Amino acid sequence: MNPERTRALALIEQTAREVADAIARGDLPELRFPLRSLANVRYEPGGGFALGPATKTRSLSAGGARSFAQALRMMTLSHQMLRDDDFASKREAYYVSKNWGDCRFESQPESDEIIDDLEALVSREGLVREHLGFFPEEHAGSVVGMLTVVDTDPETGETVEVDCRALGRGAYSIPRSVEHLSFRTDAKFVLAIETGGMFQRLHSHRFWRSSECVLVEMGGVPTRAVRRFVRRLADEHALPVYCFVDCDPYGIANIYRTLKVGSGNAAHVSAAFSVPTARFLGVTPQDILDFGLQDATHPLVDVDVKRAHDALEHDPFFAAHPAWSAALQQMLAMGVRAEQQALAKWGLNFVLQEYLPRKLAAPEAFLP
Amino acid sequence: MNPERTRALALIEQTAREVADAIARGDLPELRFPLRSLANVRYEPGGGFALGPATKTRSLSAGGARSFAQALRMMTLSHQMLRDDDFASKREAYYVSKNWGDCRFESQPESDEIIDDLEALVSREGLVREHLGFFPEEHAGSVVGMLTVVDTDPETGETVEVDCRALGRGAYSIPRSVEHLSFRTDAKFVLAIETGGMFQRLHSHRFWRSSECVLVEMGGVPTRAVRRFVRRLADEHALPVYCFVDCDPYGIANIYRTLKVGSGNAAHVSAAFSVPTARFLGVTPQDILDFGLQDATHPLVDVDVKRAHDALEHDPFFAAHPAWSAALQQMLAMGVRAEQQALAKWGLNFVLQEYLPRKLAAPEAFLP
């Protein structure tokens, strides 16, 4: 068992012991969880979103008995999974409860709520949901390039090495939890790409070989596993991370911002699931001018404009970076957005032969 | 260049020559494409949807000049890609046109329409869009198990072998076109799985090793690349294909039906992008009773009921199979649906230890 799982197990046992002790003393037992709401969230420019000190309590009162029991049951499930080296998706955890009699959850938001509370609890110790055995359901993204992923066969315990340069036109599909992986790499940087089409283009042309990099297909807003995977590469191998997405408010304020600082409604895990060193390679509004893409743009629609204004007015990340405010204002003034595939206007491989080399020659100019 | 690409190239050249000859003769040149509409679609119980004999014509008339020129331009792009061993997503092809002056497309549906016409044209020769160099954008799904994928490095031409048993907890991410792949396998069957969570569970517990199979994560309705990948395994290695999805009208009438007979609005390629030998392992409405899942179900909502009635009344696949009509009627009578994760009610690994072994002991009982 890895050290984080051992610590998670100890935390569950300690919490359970406190409940047992309270009962033995004749006190009403209670479980105290960090409060997960925007009111209890801080933005730390160097790091990302972080949880404040406020807490909420589940106690064994008349009104709270069921939810108290459910929390203990969920801790028991986590404890079993950690001992058995097993895991469950949040959806599966919900279904497991169907055999809990009166404690069963009626809907998944109820069970998710308790899993999120448990995660907030262990986040105080630098742990995340995956360390408790709860995995996300979503597909996690793909990787190729100058990287060897070191894993173990969960059945035989043998070491398994996946050479991400030796997958043909295929790719390494990131598992739903990446905590147990380690890496060997002599890459110079990580390029995190929004669309599968662009990923396949750069991969098929062996851009990772000529540029000595790792390519990551995010496929839209990056999942927890993708962010954690990239974060670990950035931290443990000191790799710069460059983000290559569409020039639109979604690419910037959703995809890039989530990669860089995490998700606003999961601030208790942003520290682990964000890549604070990430920089924005493009496509920038200025690129539309610099690379002559004006006639390959699309007008901003209402939802784009709303998203840009939301970012400018309500998102502490953009408020903290004048360069970003200026870029979003420029996009609004131009009234257009451009997809990364728009570069194909100058030929299918313009992106490989011109755009990326020119941009990568001056990473210090990337947006923060 | 593989034989299919060579044939595609020859077809384009022949079509272009006919246009040139017509012009040389002083005739109005025209391009004739198969008509892609439901009126020109047949369902063949043994195979799937197939295109009928009707055609439509694009000619160099006053009203049709632009679309005629666009079709020729798109054929030229395909021709270039085939010679250069390159490819484009439909989105990229649209953007390439931005440099075509008056021939440029104003919106992607226009360019998709022409690509689909070209595909329908070459489908008469058993070819598909991928053979023309046009790849889908979408993420294609993941694979693990008793399979070695044989590919070539597109840059060096070296043979690359990916052992899908040696990827740790990760997986092989299927590329967007699989025509160039070949396979080595001693698997007994292919299990095509709807959800990523279930795929990760079976993979982490090495179900593919104990059951000697290949696991495919479809992640919802299978993409063209997934269907083609599975089809090639079924055809070239005589592997039975079993489908494991949620027991709901979407899992049955969308995911499974698309895997088995193809997509109704792309009948011209169903022959290549379907798996006619696929069988439905589960979850069936009867499984809800046989495996005691009643209290882990959800009531059918309006969209479920509508989808089931649509399938029963309008889909020739279900009309052709009384066992399917009966199963859908049973679901409607029960008024509930069940997800594959609902099996977790009996423990996280009930699916591995009980459900799948019991089902796999009698594949002849699978729904058609």
Side-chain angles (χ1 to χ4, degrees):
Chain A
M1 196 180 299
N2 67 29
E4 288 82 9
R5 285 203 148 199
T6 308
R7 276 164 56 212
L9 203 57
L11 251 171
I12 291 172
E13 290 174 358
Q14 181 200 320
T15 308
R17 206 171 301 118
E18 287 167 11
V19 170
D21 289 350
I23 293 170
R25 282 196 312 272
D27 292 345
L28 211 56
E30 61 177 33
L31 295 164
R32 193 178 291 272
F33 299 102
L35 189 65
R36 296 175 295 103
S37 78
L38 269 180
N40 193 31
V41 165
R42 293 187 315 273
Y43 173 66
E44 296 170 344
F49 289 128
L51 217 50
T55 60
K56 68 175 176 186
T57 302
R58 288 183 200 261
S59 64
L60 189 47
S61 60
R66 188 160 162 275
S67 118
F68 183 81
Q70 286 172 326
L72 285 181
R73 281 274 204 177
M74 197 60 92
M75 286 166 57
T76 307
L77 175 62
S78 169
H79 193 259
Q80 280 170 348
M81 294 193 295
L82 291 170
R83 279 184 323 184
D84 299 347
D85 194 22
D86 209 337
F87 64 91
S89 66
K90 287 169 125 178
R91 191 81 183 143
E92 286 178 318
Y94 158 68
Y95 279 118
V96 166
S97 85
K98 293 296 183 185
N99 217 357
W100 289 353
D102 288 344
C103 280
R104 55 186 290 163
F105 296 107
E106 293 307 320
S107 70
Q108 195 187 333
E110 289 181 58
S111 58
D112 285 355
E113 172 86 10
I114 285 182
I115 294 172
D116 289 346
D117 280 351
L118 288 176
E119 175 166 47
L121 183 71
V122 299
S123 76
R124 296 250 189 261
E125 308 279 329
L127 301 175
V128 294
R129 193 164 79 213
E130 283 76 357
H131 294 129
L132 293 169
F134 297 107
F135 284 18
E137 170 77 21
E138 58 202 358
H139 176 79
S142 302
V143 175
V144 289
M146 309 295 275
L147 173 71
T148 297
V149 178
V150 183
D151 196 349
T152 49
D153 185 305
E155 196 176 55
T156 64
E158 281 169 37
T159 297
V160 175
E161 303 203 339
V162 182
D163 181 349
C164 295
R165 299 166 305 184
L167 298 167
R169 287 176 181 83
Y172 172 76
S173 181
I174 300 176
R176 280 156 189 79
S177 174
V178 304
E179 299 304 329
H180 60 289
L181 302 178
S182 62
F183 308 106
R184 284 205 316 275
T185 181
D186 47 8
K188 301 267 192 294
F189 62 94
V190 175
L191 188 64
I193 301 163
E194 174 173 348
T195 64
M198 184 58 76
F199 174 82
Q200 189 80 54
R201 170 159 306 285
L202 300 187
H203 178 29
S204 294
H205 287 274
R206 283 356 201 195
F207 182 77
W208 48 263
R209 186 180 282 150
S210 55
S211 299
E212 300 178 81
C213 69
V214 176
L215 302 178
V216 177
E217 174 189 18
M218 297 188 286
V221 175
T223 61
R224 289 166 63 102
V226 166
R227 286 180 273 149
R228 187 71 183 142
F229 189 94
V230 173
R231 168 62 176 272
R232 292 194 54 206
L233 283 174
D235 277 7
E236 297 164 27
H237 297 274
L239 292 184
V241 174
Y242 305 139
C243 189
F244 181 26
V245 300
D246 289 346
C247 178
D248 59 29
Y250 188 77
I252 293 167
N254 294 58
I255 297 176
Y256 174 66
R257 205 223 47 164
T258 301
L259 178 70
K260 181 158 177 126
V261 304
S263 166
N265 59 17
H268 55 294
V269 295
S270 281
F273 293 98
S274 60
V275 187
T277 57
R279 311 266 297 177
F280 189 88
L281 178 145
V283 177
T284 67
Q286 186 61 37
D287 285 344
I288 295 174
L289 306 175
D290 292 349
F291 292 90
L293 302 178
Q294 292 91 334
D295 60 356
T297 58
H298 296 266
L300 294 177
V301 294
D302 289 351
V303 63
D304 295 319
V305 174
K306 181 178 181 309
R307 199 171 263 143
H309 280 295
D310 274 353
L312 284 166
E313 287 150 32
H314 304 300
D315 191 317
F317 171 70
F318 294 98
H321 294 290
W324 266 121
S325 301
L328 286 174
Q329 295 287 6
Q330 183 183 14
M331 183 190 297
L332 287 168
M334 292 163 71
V336 294
R337 62 186 178 83
E339 298 175 9
Q340 40 183 193
Q341 276 108 327
L343 295 157
K345 176 197 158 187
W346 298 115
L348 288 172
N349 291 317
F350 178 82
V351 61
L352 289 151
Q353 289 156 0
E354 289 289 331
Y355 179 78
L356 287 171
R358 272 174 66 182
K359 299 289 290 194
L360 287 166
E364 65 283 359
F366 291 169
L367 283 161
Chain B
M1 195 181 298
N2 66 30
E4 287 82 8
R5 284 204 149 199
T6 308
R7 276 163 56 211
L9 204 57
L11 252 172
I12 292 172
E13 290 174 358
Q14 180 199 322
T15 308
R17 206 171 300 118
E18 287 166 11
V19 169
D21 289 349
I23 294 170
R25 283 195 311 272
D27 293 344
L28 212 57
E30 60 177 34
L31 295 165
R32 193 178 293 271
F33 299 102
L35 189 66
R36 296 174 295 103
S37 79
L38 269 181
N40 194 31
V41 165
R42 293 188 314 274
Y43 173 66
E44 297 169 344
F49 289 129
L51 216 50
T55 60
K56 68 176 175 185
T57 302
R58 289 183 200 263
S59 64
L60 190 48
S61 59
R66 187 160 161 276
S67 121
F68 183 81
Q70 286 172 327
L72 285 181
R73 281 276 204 176
M74 198 59 94
M75 286 166 57
T76 307
L77 175 62
S78 170
H79 193 260
Q80 281 171 348
M81 293 193 296
L82 290 170
R83 280 184 324 185
D84 299 347
D85 195 21
D86 208 339
F87 64 90
S89 65
K90 287 169 126 180
R91 191 81 182 144
E92 286 177 318
Y94 159 68
Y95 280 118
V96 166
S97 85
K98 294 296 184 185
N99 217 358
W100 289 355
D102 288 343
C103 281
R104 56 185 291 164
F105 297 107
E106 293 309 320
S107 70
Q108 195 186 334
E110 289 180 59
S111 58
D112 285 356
E113 171 86 10
I114 286 182
I115 293 172
D116 290 345
D117 280 350
L118 288 175
E119 175 167 48
L121 183 70
V122 299
S123 75
R124 295 252 190 260
E125 308 279 328
L127 301 175
V128 295
R129 195 164 77 212
E130 283 77 355
H131 294 128
L132 293 169
F134 298 106
F135 284 19
E137 170 77 22
E138 57 201 359
H139 176 79
S142 302
V143 175
V144 289
M146 308 294 275
L147 174 72
T148 297
V149 178
V150 183
D151 196 351
T152 49
D153 185 304
E155 196 174 55
T156 65
E158 281 168 36
T159 297
V160 175
E161 302 204 339
V162 182
D163 181 349
C164 296
R165 300 166 303 185
L167 298 167
R169 286 176 182 82
Y172 172 75
S173 181
I174 300 176
R176 279 156 190 78
S177 174
V178 303
E179 299 304 329
H180 60 289
L181 302 178
S182 61
F183 308 106
R184 282 206 316 275
T185 181
D186 47 8
K188 300 267 192 292
F189 62 93
V190 174
L191 188 64
I193 301 163
E194 174 173 349
T195 64
M198 182 57 75
F199 174 82
Q200 189 81 55
R201 168 159 308 284
L202 300 187
H203 179 28
S204 293
H205 287 274
R206 279 2 197 193
F207 181 76
W208 48 263
R209 187 180 281 152
S210 55
S211 300
E212 300 178 82
C213 69
V214 176
L215 302 178
V216 176
E217 173 190 18
M218 297 188 287
V221 175
T223 62
R224 289 166 63 101
V226 165
R227 286 180 274 150
R228 188 71 184 141
F229 190 93
V230 173
R231 168 63 175 273
R232 293 195 54 207
L233 283 175
D235 277 7
E236 297 165 26
H237 297 274
L239 292 184
V241 174
Y242 304 139
C243 190
F244 181 27
V245 301
D246 290 346
C247 178
D248 59 29
Y250 188 77
I252 293 167
N254 295 59
I255 296 175
Y256 174 66
R257 205 222 48 163
T258 302
L259 178 71
K260 180 157 178 126
V261 303
S263 165
N265 59 17
H268 55 295
V269 295
S270 282
F273 292 98
S274 60
V275 187
T277 56
R279 309 266 298 178
F280 190 87
L281 179 146
V283 179
T284 67
Q286 186 62 36
D287 285 344
I288 294 175
L289 306 175
D290 292 348
F291 292 90
L293 302 178
Q294 292 92 333
D295 61 355
T297 59
H298 296 267
L300 295 177
V301 294
D302 289 350
V303 63
D304 295 320
V305 174
K306 180 179 180 312
R307 200 171 264 144
H309 280 296
D310 275 353
L312 284 168
E313 287 150 32
H314 304 302
D315 192 317
F317 171 70
F318 294 99
H321 293 290
W324 266 120
S325 301
L328 286 174
Q329 294 288 6
Q330 182 182 14
M331 182 190 296
L332 287 167
M334 292 163 72
V336 294
R337 61 186 179 83
E339 298 176 5
Q340 41 184 191
Q341 276 109 327
L343 295 157
K345 177 197 158 188
W346 299 115
L348 288 171
N349 291 318
F350 178 81
V351 62
L352 289 150
Q353 290 156 359
E354 290 288 332
Y355 178 78
L356 287 173
R358 271 173 64 181
K359 298 289 289 194
L360 287 166
E364 66 282 1
F366 292 169
L367 282 162

